[in-house]
Amino acid sequence: MKIKDFTSSIEDIQGRTVKTVWSATSIKDLDGDVIADNAFTKTINERFKGSNLIYSLIDHKASLQTCLGKPKELYVESQKLYAVTDIVDTTLGNDILEHYKAGTINQHSIGFAVPNGKQMQREGYNEILEVKLYEGSAVLWGANPNTP
């Protein structure tokens, strides 16, 4: 599984529901990758809408101790992958909500795989044509600081 970090802002907090930007498309990141505009289409249809297999985590640690919930909405708009998640009502969930409200969490990262044949080496960057998304994580530093 690959990890792709993303500097973002918290779009909205309503009660325990947080709307964040997990990733971006069409922007070269610090790893030299560009995710294509439609790279998330298949994974949203199959792993989110079809199977509910995508999680919201902290630091890419797949465990119940670091699980913030599952997104109830996941979509691409204006070259950004948005996730709307109801944060679980646990000590961890309460702590993370305080971090979101204080603005100390302003970056996110995705954990994903690239299916065989779904990336192309371009001049000066690697284009990712399709993403198999597993999770989105709150992180301290992202690979794409040029993205608002």
Side-chain angles (χ1 to χ4, degrees):
M1 180 170 70
K2 293 180 80 169
I3 295 171
K4 184 64 56 201
D5 299 324
F6 177 75
T7 301
S8 65
S9 60
I10 306 310
E11 296 291 316
D12 194 19
I13 300 174
Q14 298 291 323
R16 298 193 72 81
T17 303
V18 179
K19 179 180 177 184
T20 58
V21 178
W22 277 2
S23 187
T25 62
S26 301
I27 297 171
K28 183 178 172 182
D29 64 24
L30 296 176
D31 295 330
D33 291 330
V34 174
I35 298 176
D37 282 335
N38 60 350
F40 293 105
T41 303
K42 184 175 180 183
T43 200
I44 288 172
N45 288 330
E46 292 178 0
R47 294 186 54 77
F48 175 69
K49 293 177 183 175
S51 302
N52 193 24
L53 294 173
I54 299 173
Y55 289 85
S56 180
L57 304 175
I58 297 175
D59 293 327
H60 303 292
K61 294 181 180 161
S63 76
L64 290 175
Q65 289 77 28
T66 56
C67 181
L68 300 174
K70 288 186 165 205
K72 64 181 183 178
E73 294 179 47
L74 191 64
Y75 59 94
V76 176
E77 183 178 278
S78 302
Q79 297 178 318
K80 296 177 184 174
L81 175 64
Y82 287 93
V84 179
T85 305
D86 290 333
I87 303 298
V88 293
D89 191 0
T90 61
T91 301
L92 173 70
N94 295 335
D95 289 346
I96 210 77
L97 281 171
E98 292 304 314
H99 280 291
Y100 276 128
K101 290 174 186 174
T104 55
I105 297 174
N106 63 355
Q107 298 189 37
H108 291 84
S109 178
I110 56 172
F112 67 100
V114 178
N116 288 337
K118 297 299 181 176
Q119 60 185 344
M120 297 184 71
Q121 197 60 42
R122 305 281 188 190
E123 189 173 324
Y125 66 94
N126 177 50
E127 184 177 19
I128 297 173
L129 303 171
E130 184 181 316
V131 167
K132 182 177 182 181
L133 188 63
Y134 293 98
E135 50 91 9
S137 284
V139 296
L140 295 179
W141 294 283
N144 202 334
N146 298 320
T147 307

